[in-house]
Amino acid sequence: MEQKHLAQRQTSQSMLIFGVIIWLVLFAFGLHGLYDRLAFDSLQTDMGSYIPWGLWVSSYIWFIGLSAGSFLLSTLVYVFKLKQLEKVAPLALVVALITLIMALLSIWFDLGHMGRFYGVYLHPNFHSAMAWMVWLYTAYFVLLIFETYFALRGSLVRSSFLPGIPGIFSRILTGGRQEALSEEEVRRDRRKVTTLATLGIPLAIAFHGGVGALFATVVARDVWHTSLYPILFLVGAFLSGGALFTGLIAFFWPKRDDYWQATVHLLGRVTLGLLLLEAVLTWAELSVPMWYGVGPEYEELRYMLFGPYGWVFWVVQVGLCTVLPLILLVAGSKSPRMTGWAGILVAVTFLSTRLNLVLPGLVAPELAGLPYSYHDGRLTYQYLPSGSEWQLLAFIISVGIALYFLAVKVMPTLTGRDVA
Amino acid sequence: MPENNFIKDIGEKTGTRRDVLTKGLALGVGLLTLEAWTSQRTLAASGSGQVSQGMAQIPTLPPPVDPWQEDVILVMQQDLKRALSKPLDQRHWGMVIDLQRCIGCQGCTVSCINENKLPPGVVYRPVLEETSGTFPNVSKHFLPRPCMHCDNPPCVPVCPVGATHKRPDGIVGIDYNACIGCRYCITACPYSARTFDWGEFYGDIVLGGPLPYEEIPSLEYGKVWVREAGKSPIGNTRKCQFCIERVEKGLLPACTDMCFGRATYFGDLNDPQALINRVRQNRQVNQLKSELGTHPSVYYLL
């Protein structure tokens, strides 16, 4: 028994070292992208004026979807009182906050003038869906911070006696409070969390549906200009956020008890349902404009499916993001490990779905003859994210991973550890 | 306007031809008079005389221009003077492009680049080319494409900071110092009339920086813009602004001034006397993607 325990510890230690090495590689790789972005502005990207949005906009909607999904998952506990997920709900809030930071970093790096972002606050144009996005994100960010704080306050007070950084961190956040929260205070905090979570539901739906609307309202882009887009974005958010959380609980929840098994199982069922719904919506998105093989969207979607980057759809979006997770979720429904892998697969490869929502609307010339009218590397309909673009994305992901492990380290109660 | 000496000289040298022309003209006038007389009789017989009396009260436009008889550049400059004497909000700048006259020389593209000191990747007025048919029945079509300066511009409402705006004189402009470089407007323009200044220079490859002529500032919107990293217009969306800084000084846009096929006309759409309105008479006129409801201020003569 002791030998088995020792072997398990050794395995987890070697996994930790392996993880740290991977993270360091990712971070170093990403730092170069950050240097490129800050030193050369957008020069090192492969974007042009005909395809002006690329990997960074796609990753922004990927991250913001993860955030909205994680947040809405937490509302199952704080608004709909689902007991099973009660222990993991604070972690969902923290994941929502971290992925929101990642999304904001992505879109901030995409701006031509990063230093002027405050213009959206000083002189916003509220006709613009993008201006609404920024204001709604700001409201969501503030709401998330307060909700996370009130959801964690009780455990932070308990953690303030811990030695080292977790204790210091807890004492700072609780103002050095020593006595535990009274029952009345706990009730008051719960009420605050419920109110904030209830307010957060329409907010999360508004900002993420709104991201879909940001694309859908553009009349110039046939593929984007459909009422289905905001719905697709929302369902994608639920799915990717739910899947990420399933993976995190399956692999990083420290106690492998019955509760953990039942929670992963429940999250797996939720992911499975959302995966099927996403598949139906994707079918509707593609089949309606393509059925008769005629119309402006037909060529653009055909390019997406059978053009040079068709593998992104067939291999990544269909294979790794839909079919394989479906098999894992159905065949391995009783295995938390299989369910976890399905979640991780969906969450990671969901970037392909986001790329396939952004890019097809941009690949066709708006006027015949445009591609040949003026020859310039920035005036083409070819786009493949440059090394620098991937590097910056790696930087953002490494920041997200670091924030997650930092949060879990300084707030041990997040992962269900008892510190009382 | 000075008399066209070229035509006069030819007339003097070909006396016999002149006689023939005079006789032909007399015959033509005679036939037209007969036609007018019979038309009036027909109208009277059908009881439409009252309609024609009412029609007489509607103001009529001056006759269409024959560009071979008038120097259109000088005519348009006179039009500009007249328009500039009016308040800003009573002008509506517009453009007419005669596709039968465009020879696809791309001179307008080049003069625009020269005027606005456009860097690599930025173009305001490309000439679209399309080849149709198969040999030997092949034809090539050209379509110069400036910004359409739409009256219902899709690029304006999408701008999150209001940097893109519609001016009272019809110009769709960009406040470079307010633009955050999000490129949403580029995706929203149905004409791909907006390009982004990525910060490139023609001298980058050889010199690793700008060539001397690339350091000359552009004067768009009547301001001095020197392209330096981190400063506007680098990192901004850019577009044709009808060379408004020239127009407000009584000069035509660079593309119009340069067009030696005289295919581009510019002026005040609110002025019925302006050449831009006269050239559209008796011609089939088209606007790009008018079905979108953008109401472009650029018209094409087919």
Side-chain angles (χ1 to χ4, degrees):
Chain A
M1 186 71 183
E2 205 170 288
Q3 268 186 342
K4 195 184 168 190
H5 191 67
L6 199 71
Q8 267 184 349
R9 259 184 75 175
Q10 275 177 344
T11 315
S12 66
Q13 263 191 347
S14 55
M15 284 295 282
L16 182 72
I17 292 166
F18 181 69
V20 169
I21 290 170
I22 295 281
W23 182 85
L24 279 173
V25 170
L26 197 67
F27 184 66
F29 184 66
L31 270 184
H32 189 263
L34 179 69
Y35 167 74
D36 271 358
R37 175 64 189 89
L38 297 178
F40 307 110
D41 294 331
S42 308
L43 268 176
Q44 306 293 329
T45 67
D46 193 49
M47 290 179 284
S49 292
Y50 294 159
I51 301 188
W53 286 350
L55 183 68
W56 293 341
V57 168
S58 306
S59 56
Y60 146 70
I61 57 172
W62 176 38
F63 294 136
I64 205 72
L66 293 174
S67 178
S70 295
F71 175 79
L72 290 167
L73 203 66
S74 76
T75 63
L76 291 178
V77 173
Y78 296 129
V79 180
F80 301 106
K81 311 296 177 196
L82 184 69
K83 291 277 175 208
Q84 180 64 43
L85 299 179
E86 205 161 351
K87 275 193 201 169
V88 296
L91 185 64
L93 283 176
V94 171
V95 170
L97 197 57
I98 291 169
T99 43
L100 174 66
I101 292 168
M102 292 163 81
L104 295 177
L105 278 176
S106 290
I107 202 63
W108 185 51
F109 284 130
D110 190 68
L111 292 182
H113 284 280
M114 287 164 59
R116 291 185 191 168
F117 76 93
Y118 62 86
V120 193
Y121 297 108
L122 294 184
H123 40 91
N125 166 26
F126 283 118
H127 278 129
S128 167
M130 192 178 277
W132 273 106
M133 287 307 87
V134 176
W135 280 71
L136 290 172
Y137 287 150
T138 310
Y140 174 63
F141 194 89
V142 173
L143 182 140
L144 256 182
I145 286 175
F146 279 103
E147 191 186 333
T148 312
Y149 177 71
F150 288 119
L152 287 170
R153 198 160 76 114
S155 60
L156 282 171
V157 171
R158 288 201 302 278
S159 307
S160 60
F161 300 104
L162 289 174
I165 295 170
I168 296 168
F169 185 78
S170 302
R171 283 197 291 278
I172 291 169
L173 285 185
T174 54
R177 182 177 172 137
Q178 305 238 322
E179 73 273 21
L181 295 185
S182 66
E183 275 186 23
E184 176 55 28
E185 281 176 311
V186 171
R187 260 201 305 276
R188 217 182 302 148
D189 278 4
R190 270 193 198 149
R191 267 204 303 275
K192 282 178 190 166
V193 170
T194 305
T195 310
L196 288 169
T198 311
L199 286 173
I201 292 174
L203 194 58
I205 290 173
F207 81 71
H208 202 68
V211 178
L214 186 148
F215 291 87
T217 48
V218 175
V219 72
R221 307 287 169 174
D222 299 311
V223 171
W224 295 352
H225 194 51
T226 155
S227 312
L228 194 60
Y229 251 50
I231 312 295
L232 259 174
F233 273 66
L234 270 178
V235 173
F238 296 148
L239 169 61
S240 58
L244 175 69
F245 202 63
T246 307
L248 289 178
I249 298 298
F251 292 113
F252 299 106
W253 192 258
K255 280 186 191 168
R256 306 296 161 105
D257 50 12
D258 289 347
Y259 171 77
W260 166 74
Q261 206 147 10
T263 304
V264 174
H265 182 73
L266 174 68
L267 289 169
R269 295 292 94 186
V270 172
T271 306
L272 177 64
L274 289 167
L275 195 58
L276 292 170
L277 181 60
E278 170 80 11
V280 171
L281 287 177
T282 305
W283 167 252
E285 181 215 355
L286 296 176
S287 63
V288 171
M290 293 189 79
W291 192 258
Y292 291 112
V294 66
E297 300 101 325
Y298 175 70
E299 288 301 327
E300 292 159 34
L301 292 174
R302 203 167 152 263
Y303 183 85
M304 179 187 104
L305 297 183
F306 305 110
Y309 308 116
W311 60 270
V312 177
F313 179 79
W314 295 110
V315 179
V316 188
Q317 189 177 337
V318 174
L320 299 176
C321 191
T322 311
V323 177
L324 191 55
L326 270 178
I327 294 168
L328 289 172
L329 287 168
V330 173
S333 65
K334 293 211 169 69
S335 156
R337 187 176 285 270
M338 296 260 264
T339 309
W341 273 116
I344 293 289
L345 260 178
V346 172
V348 172
T349 57
F350 209 74
L351 175 61
S352 64
T353 311
R354 297 317 199 187
L355 280 165
N356 280 335
L357 285 176
V358 175
L359 293 176
L362 300 168
V363 294
E366 290 179 301
L367 295 169
L370 204 56
Y372 316 107
S373 62
Y374 193 82
H375 296 274
D376 190 288
R378 300 278 184 190
L379 297 172
T380 69
Y381 286 89
Q382 299 293 322
Y383 170 72
L384 188 66
S386 67
S388 189
E389 286 174 73
W390 285 112
Q391 284 171 347
L392 193 68
L393 177 59
F395 172 76
I396 295 165
I397 292 172
S398 66
V399 167
I401 293 171
L403 285 175
Y404 175 81
F405 283 101
L406 203 66
V408 170
K409 194 82 188 157
V410 299
M411 292 183 283
T413 52
L414 272 181
T415 44
R417 286 200 171 93
D418 193 8
V419 291
Chain B
M1 191 173 291
E3 202 178 84
N4 194 328
N5 291 328
F6 177 71
I7 293 172
K8 194 178 160 192
D9 289 348
I10 292 175
E12 280 169 2
K13 282 173 192 168
T14 53
T16 49
R17 248 186 235 176
R18 191 184 207 174
D19 291 343
V20 174
L21 280 171
T22 312
K23 281 173 192 167
L25 192 66
L27 184 65
V29 169
L31 284 170
L32 281 172
T33 315
L34 184 68
E35 168 67 19
W37 182 71
T38 48
S39 300
Q40 270 184 356
R41 276 172 67 93
T42 319
L43 277 172
S46 64
S48 308
Q50 283 177 341
V51 176
S52 62
Q53 263 186 348
M55 295 277 282
Q57 291 171 1
I58 298 171
T60 52
L61 291 171
V65 164
D66 179 355
W68 296 107
Q69 296 298 318
E70 290 183 74
D71 187 331
V72 294
I73 297 291
L74 295 176
V75 174
M76 286 190 287
Q77 281 175 353
Q78 292 301 317
D79 290 349
L80 280 193
K81 271 187 193 165
R82 211 164 45 249
L84 289 169
S85 68
K86 296 195 291 184
L88 186 79
D89 59 353
Q90 287 178 24
R91 307 168 204 156
H92 189 150
W93 300 119
M95 192 171 271
V96 172
I97 299 169
D98 190 339
L99 296 182
Q100 286 191 12
R101 286 185 168 278
C102 178
I103 56 169
C105 68
Q106 311 216 14
C108 55
T109 312
V110 174
S111 68
C112 173
I113 291 168
N114 184 48
E115 174 64 29
N116 295 299
K117 313 290 177 287
L118 299 185
V122 179
V123 63
Y124 291 175
R125 192 184 156 108
V127 177
L128 313 190
E129 291 186 20
E130 224 184 347
T131 309
S132 61
T134 48
F135 181 82
N137 302 314
V138 184
S139 59
K140 205 152 191 176
H141 316 282
F142 306 104
L143 187 128
R145 199 248 37 223
C147 169
M148 299 291 128
H149 293 280
C150 307
D151 283 343
N152 186 19
C155 55
V156 170
V158 301
C159 179
V161 291
T164 285
H165 55 278
K166 181 82 177 166
R167 292 171 30 137
D169 58 0
I171 303 276
V172 174
I174 301 173
D175 180 350
Y176 283 158
N177 287 328
C179 173
I180 60 171
C182 67
R183 305 185 294 284
Y184 194 15
C185 57
I186 298 181
T187 68
C189 174
Y191 308 101
S192 290
R194 290 172 165 252
T195 46
F196 192 73
D197 191 333
W198 299 94
E200 291 179 332
F201 291 94
Y202 286 104
D204 279 346
I205 296 167
V206 181
L207 297 180
L211 292 162
Y213 74 84
E214 292 183 276
E215 290 171 341
I216 301 170
S218 80
L219 304 172
E220 292 170 74
Y221 305 103
K223 291 179 185 165
V224 178
W225 302 101
V226 182
R227 290 183 73 246
E228 286 172 7
K231 287 185 183 171
S232 290
I234 288 179
N236 288 135
T237 296
R238 300 179 67 176
K239 62 178 276 295
C240 154
Q241 76 290 7
F242 275 165
C243 291
I244 194 65
E245 69 284 354
R246 286 172 61 97
V247 171
E248 285 179 343
K249 299 289 177 199
L251 296 169
L252 290 166
C255 55
T256 312
D257 224 359
M258 187 278 150
C259 181
F260 69 84
R262 296 293 187 254
T264 302
Y265 304 93
F266 178 82
D268 178 12
L269 291 168
N270 285 347
D271 178 5
Q273 305 289 323
L275 184 65
I276 189 174
N277 287 317
R278 287 151 66 195
V279 290
R280 284 188 288 157
Q281 292 177 54
N282 306 326
R283 289 289 298 274
Q284 227 185 330
V285 181
N286 195 15
Q287 287 172 302
L288 288 182
K289 297 191 176 182
S290 55
E291 73 279 5
L292 294 178
T294 51
H295 303 296
S297 300
V298 175
Y299 296 84
Y300 291 92
L301 302 181
L302 304 179

